[in-house]
């Protein structure tokens, strides 16, 4: 029988703190958006990826890869964004059932409005509490935890 390595007390503490702080930061950013009468953070994530993609837009599977939403969640979210006029679905010429999702002008405006609030939240929650060197170190350490690890 192969014995699995148990996490060290330091790994358990780091994990618990990472999960707790991550949840608290996201909740704080969500509350700030809500107080500003703006949509949830998930909307920003999708609008951001679509804006970055440019006029070509993205296929739904690409959005799933870039945002890590589950397929059923992205389908529901895209339907809501489309109903609000923030994205448009375009047919793919060589794929009868496929579609490309593209951000609309209204979606770009909503993203800008959200960023004005979300960006301030990032500054208040993280940027104002850590020095530039500490921010670089945290970013590098978290990058090492990604799978596969990435260099930023």
């Amino acid at each position: 029988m192969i014995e699995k390595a148990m996490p060290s007390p330091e790994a358990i503490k780091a994990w618990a703190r990472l999960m707790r702080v991550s949840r608290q930061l996201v909740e704080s950013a969500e509350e700030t958006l809500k107080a500003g009468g703006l949509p949830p953070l998930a909307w920003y994530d999708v609008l951001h990826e679509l804006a970055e993609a440019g006029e070509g837009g993205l296929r739904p599977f690409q959005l799933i890869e870039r945002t890590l939403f589950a397929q059923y969640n992205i389908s529901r979210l895209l339907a809501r964004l489309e109903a609000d006029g923030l994205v448009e679905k375009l047919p793919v010429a060589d794929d009868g059932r496929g579609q490309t999702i593209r951000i609309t002008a209204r979606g770009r405006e909503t993203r800008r409005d959200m960023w004005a609030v979300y960006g301030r939240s990032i500054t208040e929650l993280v940027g104002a509490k850590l020095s530039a060197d500490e921010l670089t170190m945290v970013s590098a350490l978290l990058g090492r935890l990604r799978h596969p690890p990435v260099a930023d």
Side-chain angles (χ1 to χ4, degrees), residues 5-20 145:
M6 296 303 294
S8 68
E10 296 83 6
I12 293 168
K13 183 177 180 179
W15 174 265
R17 186 165 286 173
L18 181 62
M19 293 298 103
R20 193 174 305 115
L145 296 178

Side-chain angles (χ1 to χ4, degrees), residues 50-128:
L50 291 171
E52 291 293 307
E55 288 302 311
L58 294 171
R59 302 280 300 265
F61 75 88
Q62 292 172 307
L63 271 171
I64 291 167
E65 290 170 356
R66 292 177 187 203
T67 61
L68 302 180
F69 287 112
Q71 195 276 325
Y72 62 89
N73 286 338
I74 203 79
S75 297
R76 240 181 303 155
L77 180 53
L78 289 174
R80 181 68 196 272
L81 291 170
E82 183 181 30
D84 284 7
L86 306 179
V87 303
E88 59 185 348
K89 295 178 181 176
L90 307 168
V92 176
D94 59 349
D95 182 352
R97 293 182 5 205
Q99 52 190 216
T100 297
I101 312 300
R102 190 167 58 190
I103 191 170
T104 63
R106 184 170 176 194
R108 288 182 194 285
E109 182 180 328
T110 298
R111 177 180 173 251
R112 277 191 300 275
D113 293 345
M114 291 180 78
W115 178 247
V117 173
Y118 182 33
R120 278 195 310 274
S121 288
I122 292 171
T123 298
E124 292 168 8
L125 296 168
V126 181

